[in-house]
Amino acid sequence: GLGAHTVLEAQKLAYADRDVWFGDGDGTVSPAALLADDYVTRRRDLIAGEASREFRPGAPEGRHPVIPPLRTEAGVSAGATGEPTVDRSGQTRGDTCHIDVIDRWGNAISATPSGGWLQSSPTIPELGFCLGTRLQMTWLVPGHPASLTPRRRPRTTLTPTLLTRGDEVTALGSPGGDQQDQWQLPVLLRMLVGGYTPQQAIDAPTLHTTAIA
């Protein structure tokens, strides 16, 4: 319905900003700039009644985004959902792990240890070793916040999450590659807006888009 459309369009805009502005080093944009009221308002106004097919990164602080060229030649596809070890039927051959722990004193951790799939890490023949799973998220064009540069950490999909409000703490997370944020958002919306219990929010059907893949 309308709610799903709005959520997916907002996610597509957020992922466009991620792909252009997130990184480790020169060219990154501060979270404050991406969350500024005027910037969020401009981004929200882009959500229309029909789904957009465009890649639409924003221009926080008036900065011009560096957009790597679109690759148009056909690549190898495994028909997966974006998570290398989960097929479209949900069958798994192993998976990203996520764990949340809260002790009796209220200390909480949220952790998503991941990144060791040899089957998703292509070999570079000239170098003689596999490209690490996370290193695939760098760009090989200069001038991008996530360009491959010595001593830079690669961007990652891992999003272990802690939500706090006063003395309340909620720890959550998920496996799923680019679906991690997308699957957590409906859970948060159901709990914070819909009044669901955490278990109800987790058990309810979820959704994601592959438009950002």
Side-chain angles (χ1 to χ4, degrees):
L2 182 60
H5 167 77
T6 303
V7 167
L8 292 174
E9 291 302 292
Q11 288 178 333
K12 284 153 62 176
L13 291 170
Y15 271 99
D17 275 347
R18 179 202 68 172
D19 286 349
V20 166
W21 296 116
F22 284 23
D24 179 29
D26 298 337
T28 58
V29 170
S30 70
L34 293 170
L35 296 174
D37 289 344
D38 59 339
Y39 182 72
V40 171
T41 298
R42 293 197 302 271
R43 301 295 279 160
R44 183 178 61 236
D45 289 345
L46 294 175
I47 299 176
E50 295 185 2
S52 171
R53 296 177 179 269
E54 299 178 19
F55 178 69
R56 299 184 291 176
E61 301 175 333
R63 297 171 57 179
H64 183 70
V66 175
I67 302 176
L70 177 66
R71 202 175 102 184
T72 56
E73 66 270 19
V76 177
S77 175
T81 60
E83 175 76 350
T85 55
V86 183
D87 66 21
R88 291 190 182 278
S89 71
Q91 182 178 356
T92 64
R93 305 189 307 274
D95 207 342
T96 299
C97 298
H98 179 83
I99 185 170
D100 300 306
V101 178
I102 301 178
D103 67 16
R104 71 180 72 176
W105 299 283
N107 299 306
I109 65 166
S110 178
T112 314
S114 177
W117 298 294
L118 290 179
Q119 66 264 39
S120 69
S121 303
T123 300
I124 311 300
E126 294 83 359
L127 299 178
F129 58 82
C130 293
L131 184 65
T133 301
R134 300 304 165 195
L135 200 57
Q136 293 184 58
M137 298 181 189
T138 58
W139 293 104
L140 300 181
V141 296
H144 189 282
S147 294
L148 180 59
T149 304
R151 293 176 295 278
R152 272 192 187 176
R153 295 166 296 183
R155 182 176 60 76
T156 177
T157 60
L158 302 176
T159 50
T161 300
L162 287 175
L163 185 70
T164 63
R165 180 173 58 185
D167 293 332
E168 297 178 86
V169 178
T170 299
L172 68 156
S174 172
D178 272 335
Q179 280 74 253
Q180 290 184 35
D181 289 314
Q182 297 191 67
W183 290 339
Q184 288 187 76
L185 179 58
V187 170
L188 289 170
L189 289 174
R190 286 165 178 151
M191 290 193 301
L192 298 176
V193 181
Y196 286 50
T197 67
Q199 192 63 55
Q200 289 173 330
I202 293 169
D203 290 341
T206 193
L207 73 167
H208 69 269
T209 177
T210 56
I212 48 90

